[in-house]
Amino acid sequence: MIRKYAIDFQYAKREDKTNALGETVKGFGDKVSVHEVILPYNQGDMPVGANQTVRQSITDAGVVQTTDHVWYSLISVPVGSRVYHNGNEYEVIAVDDYSDYSDVVIYYLKGQTNL
């Protein structure tokens, strides 16, 4: 499925650093181009195995909009990483890791304009 429906987009892994004062500073690695599946998110699309807390926070916050997406991937990135697609920027807010079964990881993305 990933190879059949894949499109080109970029991501940057979250890489926090510690400054001279010992404070954690949010940062990101270099943008990396990938050819994988990214689709608009609808609440009904969330798989049965999705984290209940994530499902509740998405619903309670009222952020189920066309700017939210789901990324089906073969790679591993941490929550908080950024995805860049069609001039828009998204944050990875949750992960369903099925790599033990199928090598697929599902990332739930939130449009930066909604954060």
Side-chain angles (χ1 to χ4, degrees):
M1 177 184 95
I2 289 179
R3 287 182 182 86
K4 183 176 181 178
Y5 298 104
I7 61 170
D8 294 321
F9 61 95
Q10 295 179 311
Y11 74 91
K13 285 187 178 183
R14 181 167 181 174
E15 296 177 354
D16 294 346
K17 299 177 182 176
T18 305
N19 66 16
L21 301 173
E23 301 168 326
T24 300
V25 179
K26 192 175 185 177
F28 301 94
D30 294 332
K31 288 183 181 179
V32 177
S33 295
V34 292
H35 188 74
E36 295 188 326
V37 177
I38 186 170
L39 298 169
Y41 168 83
N42 293 312
Q43 185 175 356
D45 293 340
M46 189 170 284
V48 173
N51 182 314
Q52 182 64 36
T53 303
V54 172
R55 179 181 295 140
Q56 192 64 40
S57 67
I58 290 173
T59 303
D60 289 349
V63 296
V64 179
Q65 300 175 9
T66 57
T67 58
D68 297 335
H69 286 69
V70 179
W71 170 19
Y72 295 88
S73 181
L74 299 174
I75 59 176
S76 177
V77 301
V79 169
S81 296
R82 295 287 191 256
V83 172
Y84 308 93
H85 174 253
N86 284 343
N88 297 309
E89 183 177 337
Y90 305 91
E91 179 180 6
V92 175
I93 60 167
V95 179
D96 277 335
D97 187 347
Y98 296 103
S99 59
D100 288 344
Y101 308 102
S102 65
D103 294 333
V104 173
V105 181
I106 301 173
Y107 297 100
Y108 299 94
L109 310 176
K110 185 174 182 181
Q112 289 297 290
T113 56
N114 295 334
L115 293 177

